[in-house]
Amino acid sequence: MGFVGFRGIYPFTKKMTIGADIKQLKPVGFYNVPLKLNNITESEPVVNIGDTVKQGTLIAKPTGKVGINIFSPVAGKVLNIVKKMTPNGEYVKHMLIMRNENEEEDDFVDLPALESMSDINLVARLRDAGIVDNVLNLPSYIKYSYMGARSYKHLFVLCDTTDPNNSVNQTITEFRMEEVINGAKYFSNITGVANITFVFTDSNFKLANKLKKHIMESKKSYDFKIKFIPNKYPFDNPYILTKVLLRKNINEDNSFLKEGIAIETAESCYNLCRAVEFNKPVTSKIVTVDGTNVARPGNYFVSSGYSYQNLLDEVGINDLEIKSQLIDGNVLSGIAQYSTDLCLSLSTETILYMQHDILTNLEENPCISCGKCVSVCPMFLNPTRLDETYINEDYAKLDKLNVHSCIECGCCSYICPSKRYLTQRIAAGKYYDRQRRNRG
């Protein structure tokens, strides 16, 4: 562990959303489906206002190199296509679909069956099914579409997470284990890596042994290993994970592709298995819903275009009188939302609904040069210097200080006794430096 050189942090002692199967939400009357996910290129509609669609109907196709197929989450009618704000603050096209309340058994569309399990066909299935890689926030097929993609040496499957709130992958591994194992095999076919490594935190030996027993008893025809990482945030970040397990540094000059490293999640394996074996496109996301003012925390199948308000109505609120804040993401690096009318996309991992006084603090204080932010930074940066440089608007110097190595985990802001907005300013600094580079 000396190679890693930082402690990591664990702000909570126990996840409250584990140990129960994934829950289904009641359908709602209207779905406002965003046609763009984070840094993925916006997709263009392929259906028109007034058209009737089924669940699984392709409603938007990618226009750029980093795009994704988007499918209708329900059977119904397209009412409108309008620009609306997303949880990360962008204005993108949304497709408003009114659900058909008299759904019939044939009101869904499947993908064509695969002719073979070749690597080319499986990569095409990743693309056609609209599967998102939530590790690198890209369409899953992108990282397997380059020259040399067959030179992979390592395939890691994250079956757990160090995020103190997110229990999606752990829950999928426990309650959808067969699909996770089969999906991992399909990724093995894609990468050519014969020996799959399933990764767990060191507090999850029981689930790891359960998976090992399942594979052994089912006599799956592939080799596998199980590795453990410290159950401290953010040791499951792909950059940190690679340091821990392979003792390699990944950066702009030394990419995952060049090193032959593929990192997938249990959820990606689950989605690929469903796309291959049941021909199902992705129309929903498994989301952890937690927080001090959530009545029924847990993991839920949430359809694309489901609003935050729909979700809160389903999971329940403990106290309607208490002022609360909704966060898309974890408590360290998530984005606080100004409205519950915004809609979830397929990139959402965690939704928190917290009492406002837990999150609100006094205004930030001057830096006391304690060095705590430096001690917890997993990328060995100096957040204080980056913070000061950003305030001075010296964006060229930010580049020299390796600002783009920041993974925006939020550890520095969490540990800072002065409660400085380190992560927010460093993220903004990365943006302005990219702008400066593009102008130059």
Side-chain angles (χ1 to χ4, degrees), residues 260-281:
I261 301 168
I263 303 175
E264 297 295 339
T265 63
E267 185 174 20
S268 292
C269 293
Y270 168 79
N271 284 332
L272 181 55
C273 176
R274 282 178 52 80
V276 170
E277 297 181 4
F278 305 103
N279 305 314
K280 296 296 183 185

PDB file of all heavy atoms in Angstrom, residues 260-281:
ATOM      1  N   GLY A 260      -3.554  -1.450 -21.623  1.00  0.00           N
ATOM      2  CA  GLY A 260      -4.340  -2.673 -21.782  1.00  0.00           C
ATOM      3  C   GLY A 260      -5.213  -2.992 -20.590  1.00  0.00           C
ATOM      4  O   GLY A 260      -5.363  -4.159 -20.211  1.00  0.00           O
ATOM      5  N   ILE A 261      -5.810  -1.937 -19.979  1.00  0.00           N
ATOM      6  CA  ILE A 261      -6.618  -2.120 -18.771  1.00  0.00           C
ATOM      7  C   ILE A 261      -8.072  -1.795 -19.080  1.00  0.00           C
ATOM      8  O   ILE A 261      -8.383  -0.710 -19.571  1.00  0.00           O
ATOM      9  CB  ILE A 261      -6.118  -1.206 -17.641  1.00  0.00           C
ATOM     10  CG1 ILE A 261      -4.661  -1.510 -17.310  1.00  0.00           C
ATOM     11  CG2 ILE A 261      -6.999  -1.348 -16.395  1.00  0.00           C
ATOM     12  CD1 ILE A 261      -4.007  -0.470 -16.420  1.00  0.00           C
ATOM     13  N   ALA A 262      -8.960  -2.731 -18.813  1.00  0.00           N
ATOM     14  CA  ALA A 262     -10.402  -2.512 -18.947  1.00  0.00           C
ATOM     15  C   ALA A 262     -11.034  -2.621 -17.561  1.00  0.00           C
ATOM     16  O   ALA A 262     -10.800  -3.607 -16.851  1.00  0.00           O
ATOM     17  CB  ALA A 262     -11.027  -3.529 -19.890  1.00  0.00           C
ATOM     18  N   ILE A 263     -11.806  -1.600 -17.175  1.00  0.00           N
ATOM     19  CA  ILE A 263     -12.502  -1.606 -15.883  1.00  0.00           C
ATOM     20  C   ILE A 263     -13.988  -1.478 -16.141  1.00  0.00           C
ATOM     21  O   ILE A 263     -14.446  -0.519 -16.757  1.00  0.00           O
ATOM     22  CB  ILE A 263     -12.016  -0.455 -14.987  1.00  0.00           C
ATOM     23  CG1 ILE A 263     -10.504  -0.532 -14.774  1.00  0.00           C
ATOM     24  CG2 ILE A 263     -12.740  -0.493 -13.639  1.00  0.00           C
ATOM     25  CD1 ILE A 263      -9.927   0.631 -13.988  1.00  0.00           C
ATOM     26  N   GLU A 264     -14.738  -2.453 -15.703  1.00  0.00           N
ATOM     27  CA  GLU A 264     -16.192  -2.464 -15.837  1.00  0.00           C
ATOM     28  C   GLU A 264     -16.833  -2.539 -14.457  1.00  0.00           C
ATOM     29  O   GLU A 264     -16.154  -2.805 -13.469  1.00  0.00           O
ATOM     30  CB  GLU A 264     -16.651  -3.642 -16.706  1.00  0.00           C
ATOM     31  CG  GLU A 264     -16.163  -3.591 -18.142  1.00  0.00           C
ATOM     32  CD  GLU A 264     -16.724  -2.413 -18.923  1.00  0.00           C
ATOM     33  OE1 GLU A 264     -17.770  -1.859 -18.507  1.00  0.00           O
ATOM     34  OE2 GLU A 264     -16.118  -2.034 -19.931  1.00  0.00           O
ATOM     35  N   THR A 265     -18.124  -2.308 -14.401  1.00  0.00           N
ATOM     36  CA  THR A 265     -18.863  -2.418 -13.146  1.00  0.00           C
ATOM     37  C   THR A 265     -19.834  -3.588 -13.224  1.00  0.00           C
ATOM     38  O   THR A 265     -20.148  -4.089 -14.309  1.00  0.00           O
ATOM     39  CB  THR A 265     -19.661  -1.133 -12.863  1.00  0.00           C
ATOM     40  OG1 THR A 265     -20.643  -0.966 -13.904  1.00  0.00           O
ATOM     41  CG2 THR A 265     -18.752   0.074 -12.821  1.00  0.00           C
ATOM     42  N   ALA A 266     -20.318  -3.990 -12.063  1.00  0.00           N
ATOM     43  CA  ALA A 266     -21.328  -5.045 -12.027  1.00  0.00           C
ATOM     44  C   ALA A 266     -22.553  -4.639 -12.829  1.00  0.00           C
ATOM     45  O   ALA A 266     -23.175  -5.452 -13.514  1.00  0.00           O
ATOM     46  CB  ALA A 266     -21.711  -5.350 -10.584  1.00  0.00           C
ATOM     47  N   GLU A 267     -22.887  -3.349 -12.780  1.00  0.00           N
ATOM     48  CA  GLU A 267     -24.061  -2.877 -13.518  1.00  0.00           C
ATOM     49  C   GLU A 267     -23.858  -2.982 -15.022  1.00  0.00           C
ATOM     50  O   GLU A 267     -24.768  -3.365 -15.756  1.00  0.00           O
ATOM     51  CB  GLU A 267     -24.401  -1.448 -13.128  1.00  0.00           C
ATOM     52  CG  GLU A 267     -25.695  -0.957 -13.782  1.00  0.00           C
ATOM     53  CD  GLU A 267     -26.124   0.410 -13.306  1.00  0.00           C
ATOM     54  OE1 GLU A 267     -25.288   1.158 -12.783  1.00  0.00           O
ATOM     55  OE2 GLU A 267     -27.317   0.727 -13.460  1.00  0.00           O
ATOM     56  N   SER A 268     -22.667  -2.626 -15.516  1.00  0.00           N
ATOM     57  CA  SER A 268     -22.391  -2.765 -16.949  1.00  0.00           C
ATOM     58  C   SER A 268     -22.490  -4.226 -17.381  1.00  0.00           C
ATOM     59  O   SER A 268     -23.015  -4.532 -18.453  1.00  0.00           O
ATOM     60  CB  SER A 268     -20.998  -2.212 -17.278  1.00  0.00           C
ATOM     61  OG  SER A 268     -20.956  -0.825 -17.104  1.00  0.00           O
ATOM     62  N   CYS A 269     -21.965  -5.137 -16.549  1.00  0.00           N
ATOM     63  CA  CYS A 269     -22.063  -6.568 -16.856  1.00  0.00           C
ATOM     64  C   CYS A 269     -23.526  -7.011 -16.895  1.00  0.00           C
ATOM     65  O   CYS A 269     -23.931  -7.774 -17.786  1.00  0.00           O
ATOM     66  CB  CYS A 269     -21.288  -7.379 -15.816  1.00  0.00           C
ATOM     67  SG  CYS A 269     -19.507  -7.132 -15.852  1.00  0.00           S
ATOM     68  N   TYR A 270     -24.301  -6.538 -15.942  1.00  0.00           N
ATOM     69  CA  TYR A 270     -25.731  -6.857 -15.892  1.00  0.00           C
ATOM     70  C   TYR A 270     -26.436  -6.372 -17.153  1.00  0.00           C
ATOM     71  O   TYR A 270     -27.211  -7.112 -17.778  1.00  0.00           O
ATOM     72  CB  TYR A 270     -26.338  -6.221 -14.644  1.00  0.00           C
ATOM     73  CG  TYR A 270     -27.847  -6.225 -14.585  1.00  0.00           C
ATOM     74  CD1 TYR A 270     -28.541  -7.369 -14.209  1.00  0.00           C
ATOM     75  CD2 TYR A 270     -28.576  -5.070 -14.905  1.00  0.00           C
ATOM     76  CE1 TYR A 270     -29.938  -7.365 -14.160  1.00  0.00           C
ATOM     77  CE2 TYR A 270     -29.952  -5.071 -14.853  1.00  0.00           C
ATOM     78  CZ  TYR A 270     -30.630  -6.214 -14.477  1.00  0.00           C
ATOM     79  OH  TYR A 270     -31.996  -6.206 -14.430  1.00  0.00           O
ATOM     80  N   ASN A 271     -26.157  -5.131 -17.558  1.00  0.00           N
ATOM     81  CA  ASN A 271     -26.796  -4.571 -18.753  1.00  0.00           C
ATOM     82  C   ASN A 271     -26.380  -5.305 -20.016  1.00  0.00           C
ATOM     83  O   ASN A 271     -27.210  -5.535 -20.906  1.00  0.00           O
ATOM     84  CB  ASN A 271     -26.464  -3.082 -18.875  1.00  0.00           C
ATOM     85  CG  ASN A 271     -27.242  -2.217 -17.905  1.00  0.00           C
ATOM     86  OD1 ASN A 271     -28.352  -2.570 -17.495  1.00  0.00           O
ATOM     87  ND2 ASN A 271     -26.670  -1.095 -17.507  1.00  0.00           N
ATOM     88  N   LEU A 272     -25.097  -5.673 -20.120  1.00  0.00           N
ATOM     89  CA  LEU A 272     -24.644  -6.395 -21.311  1.00  0.00           C
ATOM     90  C   LEU A 272     -25.266  -7.782 -21.371  1.00  0.00           C
ATOM     91  O   LEU A 272     -25.673  -8.246 -22.448  1.00  0.00           O
ATOM     92  CB  LEU A 272     -23.121  -6.489 -21.322  1.00  0.00           C
ATOM     93  CG  LEU A 272     -22.513  -7.214 -22.530  1.00  0.00           C
ATOM     94  CD1 LEU A 272     -22.977  -6.608 -23.850  1.00  0.00           C
ATOM     95  CD2 LEU A 272     -20.991  -7.226 -22.443  1.00  0.00           C
ATOM     96  N   CYS A 273     -25.370  -8.444 -20.230  1.00  0.00           N
ATOM     97  CA  CYS A 273     -26.007  -9.763 -20.207  1.00  0.00           C
ATOM     98  C   CYS A 273     -27.453  -9.674 -20.685  1.00  0.00           C
ATOM     99  O   CYS A 273     -27.900 -10.490 -21.498  1.00  0.00           O
ATOM    100  CB  CYS A 273     -25.951 -10.340 -18.789  1.00  0.00           C
ATOM    101  SG  CYS A 273     -26.805 -11.923 -18.612  1.00  0.00           S
ATOM    102  N   ARG A 274     -28.191  -8.687 -20.205  1.00  0.00           N
ATOM    103  CA  ARG A 274     -29.582  -8.530 -20.629  1.00  0.00           C
ATOM    104  C   ARG A 274     -29.680  -8.199 -22.115  1.00  0.00           C
ATOM    105  O   ARG A 274     -30.597  -8.640 -22.803  1.00  0.00           O
ATOM    106  CB  ARG A 274     -30.260  -7.445 -19.788  1.00  0.00           C
ATOM    107  CG  ARG A 274     -30.661  -7.915 -18.393  1.00  0.00           C
ATOM    108  CD  ARG A 274     -31.289  -6.805 -17.584  1.00  0.00           C
ATOM    109  NE  ARG A 274     -32.375  -6.142 -18.279  1.00  0.00           N
ATOM    110  CZ  ARG A 274     -33.611  -6.610 -18.377  1.00  0.00           C
ATOM    111  NH1 ARG A 274     -33.930  -7.773 -17.833  1.00  0.00           N
ATOM    112  NH2 ARG A 274     -34.544  -5.922 -19.026  1.00  0.00           N
ATOM    113  N   ALA A 275     -28.727  -7.426 -22.611  1.00  0.00           N
ATOM    114  CA  ALA A 275     -28.742  -7.064 -24.028  1.00  0.00           C
ATOM    115  C   ALA A 275     -28.413  -8.254 -24.915  1.00  0.00           C
ATOM    116  O   ALA A 275     -28.953  -8.388 -26.015  1.00  0.00           O
ATOM    117  CB  ALA A 275     -27.745  -5.931 -24.288  1.00  0.00           C
ATOM    118  N   VAL A 276     -27.551  -9.146 -24.433  1.00  0.00           N
ATOM    119  CA  VAL A 276     -27.125 -10.308 -25.222  1.00  0.00           C
ATOM    120  C   VAL A 276     -28.134 -11.447 -25.111  1.00  0.00           C
ATOM    121  O   VAL A 276     -28.555 -12.029 -26.120  1.00  0.00           O
ATOM    122  CB  VAL A 276     -25.729 -10.777 -24.767  1.00  0.00           C
ATOM    123  CG1 VAL A 276     -25.382 -12.124 -25.392  1.00  0.00           C
ATOM    124  CG2 VAL A 276     -24.674  -9.742 -25.141  1.00  0.00           C
ATOM    125  N   GLU A 277     -28.531 -11.775 -23.887  1.00  0.00           N
ATOM    126  CA  GLU A 277     -29.345 -12.968 -23.661  1.00  0.00           C
ATOM    127  C   GLU A 277     -30.842 -12.708 -23.801  1.00  0.00           C
ATOM    128  O   GLU A 277     -31.597 -13.626 -24.137  1.00  0.00           O
ATOM    129  CB  GLU A 277     -29.038 -13.546 -22.281  1.00  0.00           C
ATOM    130  CG  GLU A 277     -27.587 -14.009 -22.151  1.00  0.00           C
ATOM    131  CD  GLU A 277     -27.279 -14.607 -20.787  1.00  0.00           C
ATOM    132  OE1 GLU A 277     -28.213 -14.728 -19.959  1.00  0.00           O
ATOM    133  OE2 GLU A 277     -26.109 -14.951 -20.541  1.00  0.00           O
ATOM    134  N   PHE A 278     -31.271 -11.472 -23.550  1.00  0.00           N
ATOM    135  CA  PHE A 278     -32.701 -11.160 -23.612  1.00  0.00           C
ATOM    136  C   PHE A 278     -33.011 -10.062 -24.629  1.00  0.00           C
ATOM    137  O   PHE A 278     -34.164  -9.658 -24.767  1.00  0.00           O
ATOM    138  CB  PHE A 278     -33.212 -10.747 -22.230  1.00  0.00           C
ATOM    139  CG  PHE A 278     -32.940 -11.763 -21.156  1.00  0.00           C
ATOM    140  CD1 PHE A 278     -31.913 -11.576 -20.244  1.00  0.00           C
ATOM    141  CD2 PHE A 278     -33.691 -12.920 -21.070  1.00  0.00           C
ATOM    142  CE1 PHE A 278     -31.640 -12.512 -19.266  1.00  0.00           C
ATOM    143  CE2 PHE A 278     -33.433 -13.876 -20.095  1.00  0.00           C
ATOM    144  CZ  PHE A 278     -32.404 -13.672 -19.181  1.00  0.00           C
ATOM    145  N   ASN A 279     -31.967  -9.561 -25.312  1.00  0.00           N
ATOM    146  CA  ASN A 279     -32.124  -8.547 -26.372  1.00  0.00           C
ATOM    147  C   ASN A 279     -32.784  -7.268 -25.854  1.00  0.00           C
ATOM    148  O   ASN A 279     -33.567  -6.627 -26.568  1.00  0.00           O
ATOM    149  CB  ASN A 279     -32.923  -9.121 -27.543  1.00  0.00           C
ATOM    150  CG  ASN A 279     -32.313 -10.397 -28.085  1.00  0.00           C
ATOM    151  OD1 ASN A 279     -31.107 -10.477 -28.289  1.00  0.00           O
ATOM    152  ND2 ASN A 279     -33.148 -11.413 -28.297  1.00  0.00           N
ATOM    153  N   LYS A 280     -32.459  -6.882 -24.622  1.00  0.00           N
ATOM    154  CA  LYS A 280     -33.090  -5.714 -24.009  1.00  0.00           C
ATOM    155  C   LYS A 280     -32.183  -4.483 -24.097  1.00  0.00           C
ATOM    156  O   LYS A 280     -31.039  -4.519 -23.643  1.00  0.00           O
ATOM    157  CB  LYS A 280     -33.405  -5.993 -22.534  1.00  0.00           C
ATOM    158  CG  LYS A 280     -34.419  -7.110 -22.309  1.00  0.00           C
ATOM    159  CD  LYS A 280     -35.786  -6.749 -22.876  1.00  0.00           C
ATOM    160  CE  LYS A 280     -36.821  -7.834 -22.596  1.00  0.00           C
ATOM    161  NZ  LYS A 280     -38.117  -7.536 -23.253  1.00  0.00           N
ATOM    162  N   PRO A 281     -32.682  -3.391 -24.677  1.00  0.00           N
ATOM    163  CA  PRO A 281     -31.929  -2.136 -24.612  1.00  0.00           C
ATOM    164  C   PRO A 281     -32.045  -1.528 -23.219  1.00  0.00           C
ATOM    165  O   PRO A 281     -32.900  -1.919 -22.422  1.00  0.00           O
ATOM    166  CB  PRO A 281     -32.640  -1.263 -25.650  1.00  0.00           C
ATOM    167  CG  PRO A 281     -34.056  -1.748 -25.629  1.00  0.00           C
ATOM    168  CD  PRO A 281     -33.968  -3.234 -25.379  1.00  0.00           C
TER     169      PRO A 281
END
